[in-house]
């Protein structure tokens, strides 16, 4: 508190009820930002509000409920234009002259298109279905579908499929854990996601940091990533997985690379990423071997060649202005799955200015890409995965109705295991043990508990999706895909509705 | 072999040193079983201690050994091993010589804060699972049926001489 810049103001204040504080020391030990101090002579716990990041770890664990973290209300004099955050960022940059880093997803007030879309339901003339009484299909096949099916009858008069079906991923729920790398997350979180994916019959994605050897047994439910840094990529890595994903861009930071600081690269991460201990893991902004769709095609086919054409290859791009044309190119380059990562997508570390103002919403991107591919007659060549800011099962249903095949959940998955969106992932001191590699903080995340919670989340969402399908009178999620007539828009402009391909509320068929 | 009661096992990899087990234990063994009353009005005493050494921590309570040193050391028979394997203090017999405290290799038996008696983990007779296990937010304490636990201490480390 003593040695600080004149321009430092606390963002949070820790309200401690001394009538309730039993000085058990739990909060002191749990605070990873050194904001809680124990004064032994006074037998008293005090707080340094300046260091508090508002992660609420102490509040959650206090056995007597003595702690409450409050946002400082009069942080700066109220100003509708110069908001507290703007003022704070200017002070910070004037102090240190760097880019403002942040973690998590975009938290600015942009229009949330999900919240302007409403779902249709069946009444009198077209009865709804009760998912508790009748089978409801959430199984989703991800990958290339043939243009036509050729069936021939054999000598016994039985039909035989003559078309060669491309490899597909089979997800029992259309919700997949988003790519979050080992290094950004710790191994406990990876273990949890892998176990939950296996339990729910869906997939999880390694992110660009490679796959730890302990997780090879979960390979059949793993999508492995090949990103611009090529960390941890080997023939074994590609072949142990269910699918391979080429990461071109990330929703939170389209067009820029990644940087895992050397301090975080410990023994295990170094082995997994195949880089020396303590070296910075720098992912370049572009793939240095991809400067055109033709180059992308070469990499896709190099991977297909390496995996004997047995695994679908996915390409992940950030949703940007020209996303429809890019997606069309990717489909023609031979990809089986396209992942569209919207601007709400989270990250472990990104310059705040890029996270906040680059890219477009995933709702729009999914709608335009689906429309473009359908117009060109190649929609069946690829599956579309929507990523970046999927918050609940209604978002999943809306994404699928707009044209996605499945969704990625990243931030929601982290929240399921405790994340409070304090956006301090980049510090590597996550008090919930998620985005830290400090072994002693990482063990706060018990993979067993985390896997149960992730499984519960997916199970809950799956129930809700089934209910929503039932009330729409649909008994398979595949019948909903691209079915935009089951959506209606409220409060959107005509142009927005045209782009989304959605009718306004009140418009019948 | 006699039917063994379950034991509390600490799991180092899961322990995050939050000390909620200590709070739960002290509360459970207080008169009103309320943490605020226990810590402000009474002399709280926890029978489990969280040992923290940089990157390792775990909650240490009585192991309820199969061949307990404390029972061997007790001169009045106050420290007693039950049929089901629990090691308990019979306070009316305890004279407070603290031989048990000195003999326990784990430091799990301690003088009672309120009177001159020995005090230790009793596996919470009023609860289905002990308070510390229930309070652990990260499953770093497991209440499970035990495999045989006979601790042998190397000769040079022997903390007391019999007889």
């Amino acid at each position: 508190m003593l040695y600080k810049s004149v321009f430092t103001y606390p963002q949070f204040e820790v309200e401690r009820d001394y009538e309730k504080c039993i000085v058990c020391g739990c909060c002191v030990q749990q605070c990873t930002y050194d904001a809680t101090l124990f004064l032994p002579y006074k037998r008293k716990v005090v707080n340094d509000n300046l260091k508090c990041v508002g992660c609420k770890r102490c509040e959650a664990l206090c056995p007597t409920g003595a702690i409450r973290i409050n946002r400082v209300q009069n942080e700066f004099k109220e100003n509708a234009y110069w908001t507290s955050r703007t003022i704070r960022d200017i002070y910070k940059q004037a102090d240190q002259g760097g880019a403002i880093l942040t973690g998590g997803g975009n938290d600015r007030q942009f229009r949330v298109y999900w919240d302007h879309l409403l779902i249709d339901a069946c009444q009198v003339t077209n009865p709804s279905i009760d998912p508790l009484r009748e089978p409801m299909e959430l199984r989703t096949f991800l990958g290339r579908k043939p243009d036509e099916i050729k069936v021939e009858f054999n000598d016994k008069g039985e039909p035989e499929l003559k078309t060669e079906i491309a490899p597909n991923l089979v997800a029992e729920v259309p919700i997949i854990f988003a790519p979050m790398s080992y290094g950004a997350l710790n191994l406990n979180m990876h273990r949890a996601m892998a176990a939950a994916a296996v339990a729910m019959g869906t997939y999880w994605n390694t992110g660009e940091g490679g796959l730890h050897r302990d997780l090879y047994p979960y390979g059949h439910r793993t999508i492995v990533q090949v990103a611009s840094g090529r960390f941890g990529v080997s023939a074994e890595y590609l072949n142990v997985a269910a699918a391979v994903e080429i990461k071109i861009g990330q929703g939170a930071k389209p067009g820029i690379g990644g940087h895992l600081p050397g301090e975080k690269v410990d023994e295990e991460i170094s082995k997994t990423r195949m880089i020396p201990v303590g070296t910075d893991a720098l992912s370049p902004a572009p793939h240095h071997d991809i400067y055109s769709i033709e180059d992308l095609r070469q990499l896709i086919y190099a991977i297909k060649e390496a995996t004997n054409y047995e695994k679908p290859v996915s390409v992940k791009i950030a949703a940007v202005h020209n996303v429809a044309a890019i997606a069309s190119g990717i489909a023609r380059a031979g990809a089986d799955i396209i992942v569209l990562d919207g601007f709400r997508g989270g990250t472990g570390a990104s310059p705040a200015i890029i996270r906040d103002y680059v890219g477009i919403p995933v709702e729009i991107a999914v709608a335009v890409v689906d429309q473009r591919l359908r117009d060109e007659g190649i929609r069946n060549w690829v599956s579309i995965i929507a990523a970046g800011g999927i918050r609940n099962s209604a978002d999943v249903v809306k994404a699928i109705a707009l044209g996605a095949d499945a969704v990625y959940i990243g931030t929601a998955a982290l929240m399921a295991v405790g994340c409070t969106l304090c956006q301090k992932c980049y510090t590597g001191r996550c008090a919930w043990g998620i985005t830290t590699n400090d072994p002693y903080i990482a063990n706060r995340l018990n993979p067993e508990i985390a896997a149960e919670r992730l499984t519960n989340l997916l199970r809950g969402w799956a129930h809700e999706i089934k209910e929503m399908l039932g009330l729409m009178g649909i008994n398979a999620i595949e019948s909903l895909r691209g079915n935009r007539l089951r959506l209606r828009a409220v409060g959107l402009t005509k142009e927005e509705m045209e782009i989304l391909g959605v009718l306004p509320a009140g418009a019948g068929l | 072999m006699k039917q063994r009661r379950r034991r509390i096992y600490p799991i180092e990899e899961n322990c995050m040193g939050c000390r909620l087990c200590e709070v739960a234990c002290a509360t459970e063994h207080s008169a009103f079983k309320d943490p605020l009353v226990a810590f402000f009005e009474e002399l709280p005493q926890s029978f489990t201690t969280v040992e923290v050494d940089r990157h390792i921590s775990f909650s240490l309570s009585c192991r309820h050994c199969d061949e307990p040193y404390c029972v061997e050391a007790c001169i009045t028979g106050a420290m007693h091993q039950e049929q089901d394997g629990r090691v308990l203090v019979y306070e009316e017999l305890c004279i407070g010589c603290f031989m048990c405290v000195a003999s326990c290799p784990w430091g799990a038996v301690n003088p009672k804060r309120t009177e001159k008696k020995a005090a230790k983990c009793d596996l919470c007779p009023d609860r289905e699972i002990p308070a510390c296990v229930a309070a652990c937010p990260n499953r770093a304490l497991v209440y499970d049926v035990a495999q045989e636990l006979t601790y042998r201490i190397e000769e040079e480390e022997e903390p007391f001489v019999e007889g």
Side-chain angles (χ1 to χ4, degrees), chain A residues 221-501:
Chain A
R221 287 287 170 194
T222 306
I223 301 172
V224 297
Q225 220 178 41
V226 175
S228 56
R230 300 283 196 275
F231 296 117
V233 178
S234 66
E236 202 184 354
Y237 169 74
L238 298 177
N239 278 302
V240 79
V244 183
E245 180 168 288
I246 300 169
K247 187 192 94 167
I248 303 289
Q250 194 180 330
K253 39 178 179 180
I256 68 168
H259 178 179
L260 184 72
E263 308 88 74
K264 282 183 120 181
V265 181
D266 61 18
E267 185 79 32
E268 291 298 306
I269 294 174
S270 116
K271 275 187 202 158
T272 309
R273 291 208 177 210
M274 303 177 188
I275 52 171
V277 176
T279 52
D280 288 13
L282 291 159
S283 300
H287 283 250
H288 286 308
D289 53 355
I290 301 179
Y291 284 88
S292 65
I293 289 292
E294 291 77 14
D295 290 344
L296 177 64
R297 185 180 179 83
Q298 282 192 353
L299 181 59
I300 291 173
Y301 277 89
I303 290 170
K304 287 193 173 182
E305 218 34 83
T307 54
N308 201 22
Y309 293 85
E310 282 164 1
K311 298 176 199 301
V313 174
S314 143
V315 175
K316 181 186 181 213
I317 53 166
V320 288
H321 300 184
N322 208 10
V323 66
I326 298 167
S328 166
I330 292 171
R332 288 166 200 282
D336 302 293
I337 301 167
I338 299 177
V339 182
L340 302 169
D341 198 2
F343 82 141
R344 293 269 176 198
T347 176
S350 154
I353 214 79
I354 291 168
R355 183 199 71 175
D356 290 350
Y357 299 113
V358 181
I360 62 167
V362 69
E363 304 90 311
I364 305 267
V366 167
V368 296
V369 167
D370 178 61
Q371 195 56 50
R372 172 77 172 246
L373 296 182
R374 283 208 245 171
D375 292 347
E376 294 181 356
I378 55 172
R379 178 65 180 85
N380 60 308
W381 289 11
V382 286
S383 292
I384 298 175
I385 297 179
I390 305 288
R391 301 163 300 171
N392 52 34
S393 55
D395 287 359
V396 179
V397 168
K398 289 171 193 173
I400 290 172
L402 283 173
D405 289 72
V407 300
Y408 270 165
I409 54 161
T411 310
L414 297 187
M415 276 193 254
V417 300
C419 172
T420 51
L421 286 185
C422 72
Q423 307 186 339
K424 291 287 173 217
C425 325
Y426 64 93
T427 61
R429 306 289 303 160
C430 177
W432 295 85
I434 302 168
T435 61
T436 177
N437 295 318
D438 179 326
Y440 191 52
I441 309 179
N443 67 7
R444 295 178 182 189
L445 190 72
N446 183 343
E448 193 186 309
I449 300 176
E452 280 169 26
R453 295 183 63 89
L454 289 171
T455 315
N456 286 345
L457 179 78
L458 287 197
R459 192 170 294 138
W461 284 21
H463 273 305
E464 289 179 346
I465 293 172
K466 283 180 184 174
E467 289 288 346
M468 276 185 273
L469 288 181
L471 64 83
M472 281 189 269
I474 296 173
N475 63 5
I477 192 100
E478 304 218 316
S479 313
L480 179 69
R481 184 179 316 138
N483 197 344
R484 298 181 205 179
L485 284 173
R486 307 317 295 273
L487 294 177
R488 288 291 184 269
V490 282
L492 294 182
T493 63
K494 204 174 170 202
E495 287 78 18
E496 286 168 328
M497 286 189 286
E498 264 167 31
I499 286 171
L500 286 170

Side-chain angles (χ1 to χ4, degrees), chain A residues 29 440 443-444 446 448 452, chain B residues 13 15-16 57 138-139:
Chain A
Q29 206 278 340
Y440 191 52
N443 67 7
R444 295 178 182 189
N446 183 343
E448 193 186 309
E452 280 169 26
Chain B
E13 302 90 70
C15 180
M16 50 190 190
S57 67
N138 209 31
R139 288 188 206 159

